[in-house]
Amino acid sequence: MSLLDDAARVESLTVLSRFRTDFYACLPARADALFELTDALLCADGPVKTLVELSLAPEHRRGHGALYGALNHGRLEVARLRRTLAGLPRPRGADGRIVLACDVSNWLRPDAATSAERLFCHTYGRGKGSAQMIPGWPYSIVAALEAGRTSWTALLDAARLGPGDDETAVTAAQLREVVERLRVAGHWTDGDLPILIVFDAGYDVTRLAFLLSDLPVELLGRMRSDRVLYFPPPPQPPGKVGRKPKRGAEFKFADAATWPEPAITTHTSTARYGRAVAESWDRLHPLLSRRSAWADYPEGDLPAIEGTVVRLRVDHLPGDRDPKPVWLWWSRISATATDVDRLWQSFLRRFDLEHTFRMIKQTLGWTRPKLRTPEAADRWTWLVITAHTQLRLARPLAEDLRRPWERSARPGRLTPARVRRGFRRLRRKTPRVSHDFPRPGVKSDLMFGSGRCGDGGAWVGGAELPAV
């Protein structure tokens, strides 16, 4: 190993250790139990099936009663933890800009009749037309995406949607706060490329673009194939009197006869999808009406929220030889050929967030616990996000502890599940933060780095943290 590689590993271990210390500082009550529960989540063998089994992990030095007591009655300073997450090193897109993805993932609780603030969550079935609405807690998740094919994302925020919430308004407020925290942390400064935020279908991306128009962001969202948008009105002929039309010609996604010649067409050869053809049309906006979200808009004409429409076609998808085109709407106009290729490639990176959802649900057991209160569910959700973040920070340090039937992974290409296999070894190299289990009349004699503390506190970077 070269000196450069050794220095990089030391820096990665320093960042991981600092994050663990900062996370502990975000726990004002039941800190040791919550911190050790997170370590048990990271070090447990195999996927998490039940919450109570985590109390058997060596890293959790308390009983199962303390585990449930911490989730039900502990405290976590979410605002402080959000600032800590925003301050960590950020992945960026191929052109150096920050790319965020936002999506909703559901914690289904159909059997929790006494649990408060459940909503009917849309879930997809295995067959066509088999979607269902099941009671549960939906969470809006924001993550930063990497460049290239990967199963890693950097989770930044989670917000549970309540029964009376306007999903678009909540998402806009959530994204506004995330962008502001990134600016405060120094990840975005004046003169940098705008932050690109990617959405899947189901979001009102045009309304989000209107609500976030004052931020340095671009929005890219998928639209249903039955949408109808409009071009701007044509110029008024000289000498013609009367009211100017409010909109121009229709653009029906399902009717090719309404499509004029695309402004830009690009062709790209890909190894996974064959030939990718992207066509774009400029300055298209939806027709708004004074109902629901726009009912309280001030008097006067509703805004024309213009953007660029991109139609993407590929030769084939995995398991689908005749894929349907994908329609995208971008919140900027006058796109170049470089912009069009960047947009559809960034949209494909949005599916990396689906890998993260599968990881935190199937391996970390996010939706496994049968918690009664939404407050406990929020607390557990943030512990899972913290655990996933530690895996991401440990990624450059982890060894490839592969099974005999698994292929070797290239350096830096370990999946989150394979990084988790070796986290127990990495944990021993980080400073000890949590205290020994308190026993009446016995004081703990702890070692934390080079500082020694025997009164229940811990030395963190030269400063002493009081016992909680």
Side-chain angles (χ1 to χ4, degrees):
M1 181 181 296
S2 66
L3 292 178
L4 185 61
D5 293 338
D6 191 41
R9 289 178 62 85
V10 171
E11 176 63 23
S12 298
L13 183 60
T14 301
V15 174
L16 173 61
S17 301
R18 186 183 301 117
F19 176 74
R20 286 170 61 82
T21 301
D22 293 341
F23 168 54
Y24 185 83
C26 296
L27 304 172
R30 310 282 180 120
D32 292 341
L34 290 171
F35 189 86
E36 291 182 5
L37 174 58
T38 308
D39 274 358
L41 179 62
L42 286 164
C43 300
D45 296 327
V48 175
K49 299 297 184 182
T50 61
L51 184 60
V52 69
E53 289 183 352
L54 292 177
S55 65
L56 302 178
E59 290 74 19
H60 192 275
R61 299 172 296 173
R62 288 151 176 79
H64 63 277
L67 183 151
Y68 283 102
L71 285 178
N72 291 324
H73 305 293
R75 283 201 299 143
L76 191 154
E77 294 181 357
V78 175
R80 183 172 182 176
L81 182 55
R82 281 170 167 156
R83 293 193 298 268
T84 301
L85 291 172
L88 295 174
R90 288 270 74 76
R92 294 178 179 268
D95 58 352
R97 76 175 70 227
I98 296 176
V99 181
L100 304 180
C102 185
D103 203 354
V104 172
S105 187
N106 301 317
W107 183 342
L108 302 180
R109 294 304 313 277
D111 53 346
T114 61
S115 294
E117 301 184 17
R118 293 183 304 162
L119 298 177
F120 281 106
C121 304
H122 182 273
T123 59
Y124 291 97
R126 292 186 178 273
K128 184 176 180 181
S130 60
Q132 302 179 59
M133 301 298 289
I134 300 177
W137 291 312
Y139 281 84
S140 176
I141 308 291
V142 179
L145 305 180
E146 297 186 4
R149 290 176 56 190
T150 179
S151 56
W152 289 95
T153 62
L155 295 175
L156 293 175
D157 194 60
R160 180 172 46 83
L161 303 175
D165 289 339
D166 179 346
E167 182 177 336
T168 303
V170 171
T171 302
Q174 182 184 22
L175 291 171
R176 182 177 296 276
E177 293 174 358
V178 169
V179 171
E180 181 59 27
R181 288 195 293 270
L182 292 176
R183 296 178 67 169
V184 171
H187 292 300
W188 190 93
T189 58
D190 293 337
D192 290 349
L193 293 173
I195 298 173
L196 178 64
I197 307 177
V198 187
F199 305 88
D200 200 5
Y203 282 93
D204 189 348
V205 64
T206 54
R207 184 182 169 209
L208 284 170
F210 176 79
L211 295 174
L212 301 176
S213 59
D214 59 320
L215 295 182
V217 297
E218 301 174 354
L219 273 64
L220 176 68
R222 182 162 70 98
M223 286 188 163
R224 300 189 312 271
S225 59
D226 60 351
R227 291 293 300 271
V228 179
L229 301 184
Y230 295 87
F231 286 99
Q236 194 83 334
K240 184 177 180 180
V241 296
R243 185 176 181 179
K244 182 179 178 180
K246 295 182 179 180
R247 52 188 175 273
E250 287 185 339
F251 186 94
K252 297 181 178 180
F253 290 1
D255 186 3
T258 63
W259 308 346
E261 284 296 318
I264 294 174
T265 302
T266 65
H267 301 263
T268 307
S269 296
T270 67
R272 186 174 178 82
Y273 309 109
R275 188 182 63 163
V277 180
E279 303 166 300
S280 72
W281 292 267
D282 202 18
R283 301 189 64 186
L284 282 161
H285 66 274
L287 176 62
L288 306 181
S289 60
R290 288 191 175 276
R291 292 179 296 180
S292 61
W294 299 98
D296 298 329
Y297 190 79
E299 293 295 332
D301 293 337
L302 292 173
I305 308 172
E306 295 185 342
T308 301
V309 168
V310 177
R311 181 176 183 262
L312 174 64
R313 293 179 291 120
V314 297
D315 289 340
H316 55 79
L317 293 173
D320 188 356
R321 307 303 302 179
D322 187 21
K324 297 180 180 179
V326 174
W327 292 92
L328 306 174
W329 186 88
W330 183 46
S331 61
R332 300 292 179 92
I333 60 175
S334 303
T336 64
T338 302
D339 288 330
V340 172
D341 284 338
R342 173 176 63 87
L343 292 173
W344 70 259
Q345 292 173 19
S346 297
F347 176 76
L348 295 183
R349 295 275 60 79
R350 192 212 69 82
F351 292 97
D352 297 340
L353 187 56
E354 303 296 337
H355 294 289
T356 299
F357 288 158
R358 185 169 64 248
M359 165 65 186
I360 63 177
K361 286 184 175 182
Q362 297 182 3
T363 303
L364 297 182
W366 171 37
T367 57
R368 289 288 184 174
K370 304 300 183 181
L371 301 175
R372 175 175 294 182
T373 65
E375 294 77 16
D378 293 345
R379 211 166 286 122
W380 171 249
T381 298
W382 280 107
L383 295 187
V384 171
I385 290 175
T386 303
H388 186 272
T389 300
Q390 293 186 57
L391 292 177
R392 183 175 66 87
L393 298 179
R395 180 181 174 188
L397 306 168
E399 302 177 33
D400 185 12
L401 304 178
R402 65 184 182 90
R403 304 288 190 253
W405 54 85
E406 294 176 337
R407 295 181 179 178
S408 299
R410 299 194 304 272
R413 297 294 296 178
L414 290 179
T415 63
R418 288 172 79 160
V419 171
R420 179 171 175 257
R421 291 177 190 170
F423 192 86
R424 178 169 284 159
R425 299 183 181 182
L426 295 174
R427 175 182 173 272
R428 299 167 185 165
K429 301 178 182 180
T430 62
R432 183 173 174 180
V433 180
S434 61
H435 308 145
D436 285 327
F437 188 83
R439 290 175 291 171
V442 179
K443 291 186 177 180
S444 299
D445 192 12
L446 306 180
M447 289 296 296
F448 185 92
S450 60
R452 186 178 183 88
C453 179
D455 58 356
W459 290 97
V460 182
E464 185 180 0
L465 291 179
V468 179

